[in-house]
Amino acid sequence: MFSPDDTIVAIATPPGRGGIGVVRISGSSARQVAASISIRTGPLEPRRATLVELRVDGAPIDRAIVTLFPAPHSYTGEDVVEISAHGSPVVLGSIVECSMHAGARLAEPGEFTFRAYLNGRIDLVQAEAVQDLVEAVTPLQARAAFDQLEGTLTARIREIDGALFELSARLEASLDFSDEGYHFIDPASAADEITTIAEGLESLLADAGRGRLVREGAQVAIVGCPNSGKSSLFNRLAGAGRAIVTDIPGTTRDLVTELIDLDGAAITLVDTAGVHGSAADAVEEEGIARARAAAHIADLAIVVLDRSRAMTGDDRALLAPAGRSRPLIVANKCDLPAAWHPADAGVSALQVSAVDGQGVDDLRREIGTRLSNTDRLHDTPAVTNTRHVNLLTQAREALHRAAQAARAGTAEEFVAADLAEARARLEEVTGVRTPDDVLGAIFSRFCIGK
């Protein structure tokens, strides 16, 4: 893990050239390090942007805006100095190098946020939300991350934990005074209270599937026989002509991908080669194999059927479930005369036209519903992180065991033990008691400078 005692420095803006680049210094020696590379007669004033001249090896290199954020009212809870210089990699690299000569150490990925967590500026949920906000590619992802950064999930978990603490205290009191015959809560009331608390966790977990979709996105593979309109549908959903579309069968030979924003979820669309039983050559055979593999590993497979021609055996072979879920069937080319109808063919399919856009909005909604198990994809979810989902699930299971034990009249020691386990899982979510290896795994995913 990181050493919290050193003064650290890093470039806090993305690599490359830009109008402005920011170097961040944090630690007990941050002021002295900043003073060693800047020309200024007096000390920096807290929270006041100051124009200074930066010098490297005694030679001027840039004029920059320097701001001091004294402890404890800074991002990390330590003295922090931020230097906003011109965004030349040479200038920023020189600032970092001189800071290191002055006693600072190059920060590890996530070390600034880790110090904020250690110093009580944020909890672990908020720390993870910082990284989610940095990595957000859709507005809904950004809103969900910012809600967690503001502490909305933390507040709900603390509310649940507070109710558990109060109930556990009464159970412990009953155990302490059991010889005197005092009982501060009867088993039936305890079971009811535990069930009510568990319902709070249920409401959080009920939306977890949608939350994970918003945070992590999903992969959707579009498969079908040659000339069924896969690539046209891919282009229509992508909003751009990414895939080549011709009347010649087998135009698509390899996988073509595009990232789209589907009501706030980042969806990776995959266009695939036409699937059929008789490949013309080794290249087409490999393309078909890749198409089948993409459909198998995708979170959702969309099977495109050509409604304007008779259904074939190859079409029907694609209707069998494969991969993670049953396929979403699309009867394409509804702008042309129909050679078959879904009801007559025994197929439940959405009718669309990739050419003029008929039914495509319905298809978008159905994709969101299939992936999230809800039609409220555009709402901001409370729980988005897999780690949180797993821990909240474990806490809920411990509460269910405690409620069952209380109703069965089991000794209060066992009920109290299950409640203690539930509280421990909740405290792991917020970072009150999280193993070091978990912390290391979380913060190692951060970018340097954050």
Side-chain angles (χ1 to χ4, degrees):
M1 290 299 291
F2 314 116
S3 171
D5 301 321
D6 302 333
T7 295
I8 55 176
V9 61
I11 300 172
T13 42
R17 291 171 173 79
I20 294 177
V22 176
V23 174
R24 176 181 286 164
I25 307 169
S26 179
S28 58
S29 302
R31 303 187 198 207
Q32 296 91 316
V33 171
S36 70
I37 59 174
S38 61
I39 303 300
R40 178 171 168 76
T41 56
L44 293 171
E45 297 181 45
R47 300 183 179 279
R48 181 180 291 273
T50 306
L51 179 65
V52 303
E53 186 176 272
L54 302 179
R55 289 182 176 265
V56 174
D57 297 328
I61 190 174
D62 197 8
R63 286 184 176 177
I65 299 296
V66 179
T67 310
L68 166 67
F69 301 93
H73 305 296
S74 69
Y75 179 71
T76 63
E78 306 169 327
D79 282 350
V80 172
V81 175
E82 292 191 352
I83 302 172
S84 299
H86 290 94
S88 162
V90 173
V91 171
L92 300 177
S94 297
I95 295 171
V96 171
E97 185 176 352
C98 287
S99 298
M100 293 172 67
H101 286 318
R105 169 176 61 79
L106 186 63
E108 298 289 337
E111 190 165 3
F112 290 98
T113 304
F114 179 66
R115 292 187 176 201
Y117 163 69
L118 285 183
N119 292 324
R121 297 290 293 168
I122 55 176
D123 62 27
L124 194 55
V125 171
Q126 293 170 305
E128 291 169 293
V130 169
Q131 180 69 356
D132 290 345
L133 190 57
V134 170
E135 295 183 345
V137 296
T138 72
L140 184 56
Q141 284 181 329
R143 288 203 307 273
F146 185 72
D147 279 352
Q148 293 191 3
L149 183 57
E150 287 288 276
T152 54
L153 177 58
T154 298
R156 293 183 67 177
I157 291 176
R158 285 178 178 170
E159 181 181 348
I160 293 170
D161 186 55
L164 272 177
F165 174 80
E166 193 275 334
L167 178 58
S168 298
R170 281 185 283 155
L171 281 173
E172 293 292 342
S174 296
L175 290 172
D176 290 341
F177 294 97
S178 58
D179 292 341
E180 288 80 3
Y182 291 105
H183 290 278
F184 297 91
I185 186 170
D186 62 86
S189 297
D192 290 340
E193 289 191 37
I194 295 169
T195 300
T196 300
I197 296 170
E199 288 172 354
L201 287 178
E202 292 284 1
S203 66
L204 284 175
L205 289 168
D207 215 17
R210 184 171 61 90
R212 289 183 60 185
L213 175 61
V214 169
R215 180 178 187 264
E216 301 171 11
Q219 181 170 294
V220 175
I222 303 176
V223 297
C225 294
N227 275 9
S228 60
K230 303 183 313 315
S231 296
S232 296
L233 185 61
F234 174 88
N235 289 340
R236 173 67 67 172
L237 290 171
R242 284 281 287 110
I244 297 174
V245 177
T246 72
D247 293 331
I248 302 172
T251 303
T252 303
R253 293 297 188 96
D254 205 348
L255 304 180
V256 181
T257 64
E258 182 74 5
L259 184 67
I260 68 168
D261 180 347
L262 182 71
D263 289 338
I267 304 298
T268 300
L269 287 179
V270 183
D271 186 24
T272 65
V275 177
H276 59 106
S278 55
D281 52 45
V283 176
E284 186 177 15
E285 185 176 350
E286 176 62 21
I288 292 172
R290 293 188 180 191
R292 296 186 189 279
H296 186 76
I297 66 174
D299 297 283
L300 177 66
I302 298 176
V303 174
V304 182
L305 305 177
D306 185 349
R307 203 194 69 159
S308 68
R309 69 187 184 196
M311 192 179 296
T312 67
D314 287 333
D315 288 324
R316 293 194 176 278
L318 290 170
L319 301 180
R324 303 187 188 185
S325 62
R326 61 186 178 88
L328 171 56
I329 313 301
V330 169
N332 191 26
K333 304 184 183 181
C334 69
D335 54 309
L336 300 177
W340 56 273
H341 293 280
D344 298 334
V347 176
S348 176
L350 287 175
Q351 302 195 52
V352 306
S353 170
V355 173
D356 62 19
Q358 293 182 58
V360 172
D361 287 341
D362 292 335
L363 174 59
R364 285 176 174 271
R365 282 191 290 271
E366 183 62 21
I367 292 172
T369 299
R370 288 286 192 93
L371 291 173
S372 64
N373 298 317
T374 176
D375 59 358
R376 297 181 296 108
L377 188 58
H378 59 280
D379 296 335
T380 305
V383 181
T384 61
N385 190 304
T386 301
R387 186 183 74 88
H388 303 166
V389 172
N390 291 338
L391 290 171
L392 292 176
T393 300
Q394 293 173 31
R396 178 190 62 187
E397 291 171 352
L399 291 180
H400 286 168
R401 291 196 302 271
Q404 292 172 359
R407 288 196 178 91
T410 306
E412 291 167 334
E413 291 93 331
F414 296 100
V415 178
D418 285 327
L419 296 185
E421 181 180 343
R423 292 197 66 205
R425 301 293 82 76
L426 294 180
E427 289 173 351
E428 281 191 55
V429 174
T430 57
V432 174
R433 58 163 95 183
T434 301
D436 287 347
D437 57 340
V438 175
L439 292 177
I442 290 172
F443 287 100
S444 65
R445 294 196 295 267
F446 280 58
C447 57
I448 294 176
K450 197 62 183 177

